[in-house]
Amino acid sequence: EFESELEVHVRQPEQRSAFAIALKWTTFVVFSALWWQNTLLEQRLRALAIACWFAGMEFWWKVFTGDETGVHLPHSVGHALSRGRTTIEQFFTNVWWAPLGTDLYFAHVPWMSARIILFPLNVWLFELVWGYYLLLVWGKRAWHYKGNYTYFHGNIALGYLPVWWFLGALHEFLSIYYYPHVVQLGVQLITALYSAGYL
C-alpha cells in the first residue's frame, strides 16, 4: 500500500499548495544553513568539488551505460550523448552529504582498505536519506534503480556493489591527488578576491 501511495505521489504534478511549497523551501534553507554553519571553508570547497566531479561522472556513466536498469550500448555517438544527464537535486544532495560522507567517514574509518570495502554502505545510506527526502518532500527522483536487487522504492540497488567499490577506490585516489589541489586553488582565489576588495 505504501508503495502505491508513494508512486502516486511521485507521478502527481508538482504540488502548489502553500504548505507544500513552504515545506520544500524551508527544508532546503535549513539543510543549507546547517551545512554552512557546521563546515569550514576547505570543507565547503571540497564538497563542491566532489559534487561537480560526481555530476560529470554521472553524465558520462549515463552516456556509456544508458540508465539504472543496466548497460545498454548506444546506437551512435549522437544517441550516446543524448543519454547523458544529471540533476540539480543530485548536485545539492552531494554537497550536503560530502562533509558526512567524506570528512566524517574518513575520521571514523582511518584505514583506506576498510573505507573502500565499506564505501557501498556510505552510498546506500546517502541514497536512502536523500532519495526519500526528494520523494516525500519534493515529489521527485534524482535516481531510480530498476531491475533485480533494487530495494526501498528504487532508491538503492545491491547489484551496483562492484561499482561502489570501484567508486570508493577512485574516491581515495581523488582525495589524495585531486581534491586538495582544488581546495588550495579555491582558497587562493577567495583570498585574492578578498584582498582586492571584491568580497
Side-chain angles (χ1 to χ4, degrees), residues 50-67:
I50 290 171
C52 289
W53 166 77
F54 189 86
M57 186 197 70
E58 184 182 38
F59 178 90
W60 288 105
W61 172 265
K62 296 290 177 61
V63 165
F64 288 108
T65 66
D67 54 31

Side-chain angles (χ1 to χ4, degrees), residues 61 68 105 114-124 127 145 148-151 155-170:
W61 172 265
E68 294 93 341
Y105 184 61
R115 288 197 300 265
I116 294 173
I117 292 171
L118 296 174
F119 194 76
L121 298 179
N122 191 338
V123 175
W124 290 330
E127 291 178 328
Y145 298 106
N148 297 328
Y149 308 111
T150 59
Y151 299 95
N155 278 316
I156 71 170
L158 299 186
Y160 270 57
L161 180 65
V163 176
W164 302 144
W165 275 331
F166 172 77
L167 188 64
L170 184 58

Side-chain angles (χ1 to χ4, degrees), residues 5-106:
E5 290 178 358
L6 186 60
E7 292 304 321
V8 168
H9 173 69
V10 174
R11 288 195 300 270
Q12 286 176 342
E14 185 178 356
Q15 298 181 35
R16 297 294 182 181
S17 71
F19 174 77
I21 294 173
L23 180 63
K24 292 174 182 179
W25 291 108
T26 297
T27 55
F28 179 85
V29 170
V30 167
F31 288 140
S32 298
L34 287 173
W35 175 81
W36 184 268
Q37 216 167 13
N38 291 280
T39 55
L40 302 173
L41 175 61
E42 290 81 2
Q43 292 173 306
R44 295 168 195 158
L45 292 172
R46 183 163 50 249
L48 290 170
I50 290 171
C52 289
W53 166 77
F54 189 86
M57 186 197 70
E58 184 182 38
F59 178 90
W60 288 105
W61 172 265
K62 296 290 177 61
V63 165
F64 288 108
T65 66
D67 54 31
E68 294 93 341
T69 62
V71 176
H72 306 287
L73 296 178
H75 305 306
S76 63
V77 174
H79 175 230
L81 292 176
S82 70
R83 302 190 310 183
R85 72 174 188 86
T86 187
T87 64
I88 191 67
E89 294 87 0
Q90 179 85 59
F91 180 84
F92 275 107
T93 52
N94 276 318
V95 168
W96 290 334
W97 186 257
L100 299 174
T102 298
D103 299 319
L104 193 65
Y105 184 61
F106 275 51

Side-chain angles (χ1 to χ4, degrees), residues 187-199:
V187 170
Q188 290 174 349
L189 177 61
I190 292 172
T191 302
L193 291 174
Y194 184 81
S195 300
Y198 292 107
L199 295 177

